[in-house]
Amino acid sequence: MVEQVLPLSKQQHGGRLSAEATWSVLIAHRWFFLILVVLLGLGVWQGVRVLFGPAVVVDQVSQGRLIETVVASGHVETPYRVEIGSQITGTVEEVLVEEGQKVTKGQPLISLEARELRASVVQAQGAVAQAEARIRQLEELALPSAKEALTQAEATLLNAQQTYDRTAQLERNGYATRAALDDAQKTLDVARAVKRAVEFQVYTASPGGSDYVMAETQLNQARANLETAESRLGYATITAPRDGVLITRGVERGTVAQAGKTLLVLAPSGDLQLVLQIDERNLGRLAFGQAALASADAYPDQHFSAVVTYINPGIDISRATVQVKLTVAEPPAYLRQDMTVSVDIEVAAKDNAQVLPSRSVHDVLSGQPWVLTVKNGRAIRRPVKLGLRGSSQIEIVEGLQAGDIAIPQSSGVLTGQRLRTVLP
């Protein structure tokens, strides 16, 4: 029994040793087998590529709305800028605003030293008061006195006239001498002269008379001098002519401001303009009133609308560009003067257009565009006729239909090459 068991145990032990040895061999040569599997896979994949061609992601013609745009960059401007300066020469006492600050119409901006101007106002006020006193003097004293003198002169004249009449009657009757009549005549003449003189005084002291007109003229002149002095004093405080934003400040405290010299530049509130330089080749596609979508480079994710309102009739020959201005009716709050902006001007649009990504169209600018499409598993060249051109898509007018496919230029596929198409 023992002799029979021992051989069987050895056989089993030997088999177990053989399996372990085989596994050890496999582990020791695992990289060899792994490389062998990879090579076999590459061989199969290369065989498929040779027989059926590479797999290429293709574009497909679809129908949809296509907008043709002209893309350009430019900067922000106001339709005009206001240069603010002083109307008089004076030393700047205080600058009341900072560059970039929003201001309202009438807000003080700069204060000039004004002691001499204030003294001129006081002096002019004194001249006005003096002229007004002269008017009151005529109305309250000279005219009433002249009127009283006139009443007295009229009474004297009446008495002289009666005396003369009595003397003349007596002289005719022989009761008075000729000398007495002459004396009565002289008294009457003097009374008449006095009355005329007093009448002149009443007239000149009355409104419309020479003294009154002269006094009124002096008063008006004094008031004009006062207004001039007050205006010059007002010039000592430079105010904002309208609402806006100060974009330039060229003055500091202690500066001697010269009349007419620009101290501040104001960008008025209201419509803003986008000023663009567009390639002259696009001039025929531009028109007044075209809508545009713009964004500031500092805020690329925020867009706002604009409208073409100006196309320069001349061309910048050095850059081969035309200047175009767009008005922004509702500018966003973040827009600043001279900001750089990017603009897409909508020059044409079409619904239900057959569109294809631009990357699949060859020789777009040559006048003979074409695409690579697929027939019987091979790439073939097909001419097409183009319509509108969007930023990333082109309208296919002839040559392809909706659902047809085209091979992107970046795929590297050549005409006649076998390939397998893959839709994105």
Side-chain angles (χ1 to χ4, degrees):
M1 293 293 292
V2 175
E3 291 177 357
Q4 292 177 353
V5 171
L6 287 176
L8 182 59
S9 176
K10 289 181 179 180
Q11 184 178 2
Q12 292 176 347
H13 181 69
R16 189 164 55 246
L17 289 175
S18 178
E20 290 178 353
T22 302
W23 181 249
S24 298
V25 171
L26 290 175
I27 292 175
H29 297 83
R30 64 186 182 278
W31 292 110
F32 171 77
F33 291 109
L34 180 60
I35 292 172
L36 181 62
V37 171
V38 170
L39 291 176
L40 288 174
L42 288 175
V44 172
W45 177 74
Q46 187 63 30
V48 171
R49 282 180 57 86
V50 171
L51 292 176
F52 302 103
V56 177
V57 178
V58 295
D59 293 323
Q60 192 171 29
V61 178
S62 60
Q63 280 192 327
R65 177 175 174 82
L66 181 62
I67 299 176
E68 183 175 358
T69 60
V70 171
V71 181
S73 61
H75 64 277
V76 178
E77 273 189 13
T78 53
Y80 61 93
R81 301 182 181 187
V82 179
E83 295 183 347
I84 302 173
S86 175
Q87 294 179 270
I88 59 175
T89 299
T91 303
V92 175
E93 192 172 64
E94 197 69 46
V95 181
L96 307 173
V97 289
E98 297 293 338
E99 190 171 290
Q101 180 178 336
K102 289 185 177 181
V103 298
T104 57
K105 183 178 180 180
Q107 179 178 338
L109 306 178
I110 299 173
S111 176
L112 303 180
E113 198 281 324
R115 286 177 297 178
E116 184 178 348
L117 298 175
R118 282 191 288 267
S120 298
V121 170
V122 173
Q123 186 176 6
Q125 288 172 340
V128 170
Q130 186 176 3
E132 289 175 342
R134 173 60 179 161
I135 294 289
R136 288 198 304 272
Q137 184 181 28
L138 290 174
E139 295 174 343
E140 299 171 3
L141 178 61
L143 182 59
S145 299
K147 287 181 178 180
E148 288 294 332
L150 178 60
T151 302
Q152 184 176 358
E154 288 174 344
T156 302
L157 176 60
L158 179 60
N159 185 48
Q161 183 67 49
Q162 292 173 348
T163 302
Y164 174 79
D165 292 341
R166 286 195 302 269
T167 304
Q169 183 65 34
L170 291 172
E171 192 271 337
R172 284 194 298 270
N173 294 332
Y175 295 106
T177 64
R178 183 66 184 176
L181 182 60
D182 291 342
D183 290 340
Q185 181 66 51
K186 290 179 181 179
T187 302
L188 179 59
D189 291 341
V190 170
R192 286 173 177 171
V194 170
K195 181 189 175 187
R196 284 196 299 271
V198 175
E199 285 177 340
F200 290 148
Q201 291 178 2
V202 171
Y203 175 74
T204 57
S206 300
S210 59
D211 287 350
Y212 197 92
V213 170
M214 185 178 296
E216 278 189 325
T217 302
Q218 291 175 347
L219 176 59
N220 292 334
Q221 200 170 37
R223 286 174 175 170
N225 292 337
L226 174 59
E227 187 174 349
T228 301
E230 289 176 340
S231 296
R232 290 183 62 82
L233 179 60
Y235 296 156
T237 302
I238 302 173
T239 59
R242 59 180 302 167
D243 298 348
V245 178
L246 293 172
I247 58 175
T248 303
R249 168 180 161 172
V251 62
E252 297 297 336
R253 184 176 182 180
T255 303
V256 176
Q258 301 291 334
K261 182 180 178 181
T262 300
L263 304 177
L264 303 169
V265 178
L266 176 70
S269 299
D271 292 346
L272 288 179
Q273 286 185 338
L274 309 181
V275 181
L276 314 176
Q277 296 293 335
I278 296 181
D279 194 313
E280 65 174 316
R281 289 177 295 182
N282 295 315
L283 181 58
R285 304 161 67 190
L286 299 174
F288 293 109
Q290 289 175 334
L293 195 63
S295 64
D297 289 2
Y299 302 88
D301 297 330
Q302 302 185 42
H303 298 82
F304 54 92
S305 300
V307 177
V308 176
T309 54
Y310 173 81
I311 301 174
N312 196 310
I315 302 296
D316 186 339
I317 191 171
S318 62
R319 294 186 289 182
T321 60
V322 59
Q323 186 185 68
V324 176
K325 295 181 180 180
L326 294 85
T327 298
V328 184
E330 298 180 359
Y334 60 80
L335 277 190
R336 300 286 187 274
Q337 284 293 309
D338 300 320
M339 256 187 175
T340 302
V341 292
S342 298
V343 182
D344 290 355
I345 303 174
E346 182 178 324
V347 296
K350 186 176 182 180
D351 294 322
N352 298 321
Q354 293 188 150
V355 296
L356 182 69
S358 305
R359 64 180 185 175
S360 293
V361 183
H362 299 254
D363 298 337
V364 174
L365 302 177
S366 68
Q368 296 180 337
W370 55 277
V371 298
L372 277 179
T373 185
V374 179
K375 184 177 181 180
N376 298 327
R378 293 184 181 274
I380 63 170
R381 176 169 172 165
R382 181 176 296 176
V384 292
K385 184 178 180 181
L386 306 180
L388 301 183
R389 302 177 188 180
S391 58
S392 61
Q393 293 183 315
I394 296 180
E395 179 188 10
I396 305 298
V397 178
E398 294 180 4
L400 294 176
Q401 300 295 325
D404 290 347
I405 60 175
I407 302 170
Q409 300 182 51
S410 58
S411 65
V413 174
L414 303 176
T415 303
Q417 181 178 339
R418 281 189 172 276
L419 72 154
R420 291 173 293 118
T421 60
V422 178
L423 291 175

